[in-house]
Amino acid sequence: MKNNCFGTLFLFELKKILKSKVAVITFFILLIVGFINVESAMGDNADIYAQNELGKIEGRTIDDTLIKEMVDNSEDGSESPHTYRNLNLWVARIWGTVIPEDLTVYKLSQARDSMIEQYMYDEKLSEGELQYWKEKNDVDFPGVWHDDMDAKGYINATSNLYLFAILFLLPMGVAVVFAMEYQHKTDPLIRASKFGDKRTYYAKMLAGITYAVVSMLFVIGIALAYMAIRYGTDCLGISTLLVDPFLLIDMTAKELLIRMVVIMIASCVMLSTMTMFLSQTFKNAFAVLGAMFGFWFLCALLNVVVKFRPLSQFISSLPYMVVATDIGKEYRLVNIFGRYFTIFDYAPVMYILLGILFLTLGRIVYGRQER
């Protein structure tokens, strides 16, 4: 009987979210933004002429000969597609914008290793972490060239759309779970009802989490399906080294995208519980939206100024910071009983634990208000 009551409460709370005009309008606006974002991220290689030009060096080994060709045939400043354009951009990420005429694969590799060492020094890696990456680094650099623009488009479009989702879709949808009752003065009536105890609270929280995860996956899923139909999926088979030359984990762009989506799902659980906790605190959906934006700006600011490693690593691992193309440059690890875990491993677990924390704190607040 209790389970049936809980299911009824859950469906009621979920319908309440779906009936919110603000949530529905935000959802459809995000869909439109998603298509615009996809075309912006993928458009550079869209026309046949560009594909033909860029395809002339497809599948070639990145060696001294190819780099010499790239240097000798540098772009002349025109806007027309150039055979070596994307290769030039990839090399420039490692070497810098001013590429010398005598650049070789060895020099490029040395420059990459030097930058990685600098990143690790700045992040204050321990001897154990350095040894882990020394043993883990099995990436074949520089490898074989495949045009990286479409693969980067997939990853950039997905991460950008995710950022829009957690800044707008989640607050405008999930915040109404508690805030609407406070604004309509119906919360005392609900608390006085037969099931106005913890069952109602957990039904509300589960409805909010369900809406957050499903709506985010729906928006991103549509974007990915559109990219797959329009641009194909062959580009996702390239090494992530061509997407981010500083990655030390050997995987394809598809594998990176899957790992990012796993992190996104876990972060939605955390952010939905956090949003509903703030909804109980501020009792206003727009105040929650402002708080979420403020939290994002605070994270961005602290991510730059904080030097204390544990706090800096924690901030860098938060959802607003972690899902980006340069996620691979987070070399700091978590050591648990002598075993090291990368950000791809510990971030989802951290989000679930934080989600449980916000769930518990929200229950305490809800219980006090109930009394």
Side-chain angles (χ1 to χ4, degrees):
M1 182 66 181
K2 287 186 177 181
N3 290 335
N4 291 335
C5 293
F6 182 84
T8 302
L9 289 170
F10 166 73
L11 291 176
F12 172 77
E13 294 297 335
L14 190 59
K15 288 179 181 178
K16 188 168 67 176
I17 297 174
L18 298 176
K19 287 182 179 180
S20 170
K21 293 181 180 179
V22 175
V24 173
I25 292 172
T26 304
F27 178 80
F28 283 106
I29 289 176
L30 193 60
L31 281 179
I32 296 172
V33 170
F35 286 112
I36 297 173
N37 181 48
V38 166
E39 290 303 320
S40 175
M42 306 286 283
D44 281 351
N45 289 3
D47 63 273
I48 300 299
Y49 177 65
Q51 292 176 11
N52 290 337
E53 285 295 313
L54 296 165
K56 291 178 180 178
I57 58 172
E58 185 74 12
R60 288 184 56 182
T61 301
I62 305 174
D63 53 17
D64 292 347
T65 302
L66 182 57
I67 291 180
K68 178 64 175 174
E69 290 177 19
M70 180 197 73
V71 173
D72 292 342
N73 295 275
S74 59
E75 295 187 60
D76 58 5
S78 66
E79 296 182 0
S80 60
H82 188 274
T83 303
Y84 304 92
R85 180 189 64 184
N86 292 339
L87 176 61
N88 190 289
L89 292 172
W90 183 78
V91 171
R93 287 194 64 187
I94 304 170
W95 187 268
T97 54
V98 181
I99 300 174
E101 294 184 0
D102 61 344
L103 181 64
T104 62
V105 167
Y106 176 77
K107 291 180 180 179
L108 188 65
S109 180
Q110 290 293 102
R112 173 180 177 267
D113 292 344
S114 178
M115 290 190 69
I116 290 174
E117 289 177 6
Q118 186 62 47
Y119 285 135
M120 291 182 174
Y121 175 80
D122 293 339
E123 292 181 343
K124 300 180 176 61
L125 265 64
S126 66
E127 288 297 325
E129 289 171 308
L130 293 173
Q131 183 62 31
Y132 172 89
W133 285 119
K134 184 178 180 180
E135 297 173 356
K136 182 72 175 180
N137 185 12
D138 55 357
V139 177
D140 180 23
F141 182 87
V144 176
W145 174 253
H146 296 284
D147 183 56
D148 63 344
M149 188 63 72
D150 287 348
K152 282 165 57 176
Y154 265 91
I155 293 170
N156 286 332
T158 303
S159 59
N160 291 340
L161 193 56
Y162 165 75
L163 185 59
F164 279 113
I166 62 177
L167 285 176
F168 294 99
L169 183 63
L170 264 65
M172 298 312 295
V174 179
V176 303
V177 171
F178 290 97
M180 185 181 294
E181 293 170 0
Y182 296 126
Q183 292 172 1
H184 294 170
K185 310 296 183 182
T186 58
D187 56 302
L189 181 63
I190 293 174
R191 295 176 191 282
S193 64
K194 182 178 180 181
F195 299 109
D197 56 3
K198 61 183 181 181
R199 272 173 287 180
T200 299
Y201 170 77
Y202 289 120
K204 290 176 179 291
M205 297 298 283
L206 181 59
I209 293 171
T210 302
Y211 168 80
V213 173
V214 173
S215 59
M216 189 275 294
L217 285 177
F218 190 73
V219 170
I220 291 179
I222 288 178
L224 289 174
Y226 174 73
M227 285 187 281
I229 294 171
R230 180 165 168 75
Y231 300 101
T233 58
D234 291 343
C235 61
L236 294 177
I238 71 170
S239 169
T240 47
L241 194 65
L242 301 176
V243 177
D244 184 348
F246 301 103
L247 267 168
L248 296 178
I249 302 175
D250 186 20
M251 57 182 169
T252 64
K254 179 182 178 181
E255 292 169 332
L256 174 61
L257 192 60
I258 291 173
R259 292 191 181 197
M260 287 174 58
V261 171
V262 170
I263 290 176
M264 290 174 185
I265 294 171
S267 70
C268 271
V269 174
M270 168 202 158
L271 289 172
S272 58
T273 55
M274 175 183 172
T275 302
M276 288 184 283
F277 170 73
L278 293 174
S279 177
Q280 295 182 71
T281 304
F282 294 113
K283 300 177 174 60
N284 184 287
F286 289 99
V288 174
L289 178 63
M292 297 295 278
F293 264 98
F295 183 66
W296 177 64
F297 281 113
L298 180 63
C299 288
L301 176 63
L302 293 177
N303 194 44
V304 175
V305 300
V306 172
K307 302 301 180 184
F308 180 56
R309 171 168 167 172
L311 181 57
S312 174
Q313 185 174 359
F314 174 75
I315 294 170
S316 298
S317 303
L318 290 174
Y320 297 103
M321 303 289 110
V322 73
V323 179
T325 309
D326 60 353
I327 186 175
K329 290 203 289 289
E330 179 55 77
Y331 301 120
R332 291 172 292 192
L333 308 171
V334 169
N335 186 350
I336 301 178
F337 301 118
R339 183 178 178 184
Y340 288 104
F341 297 89
T342 70
I343 192 167
F344 297 108
D345 302 318
Y346 69 77
V349 178
M350 184 181 81
Y351 298 155
I352 297 298
L353 292 177
L354 286 173
I356 294 173
L357 174 63
F358 284 117
L359 184 71
T360 304
L361 292 175
R363 177 68 187 104
I364 294 172
V365 173
Y366 188 83
R368 287 180 177 176
Q369 291 171 341
E370 189 176 6
R371 291 193 291 271

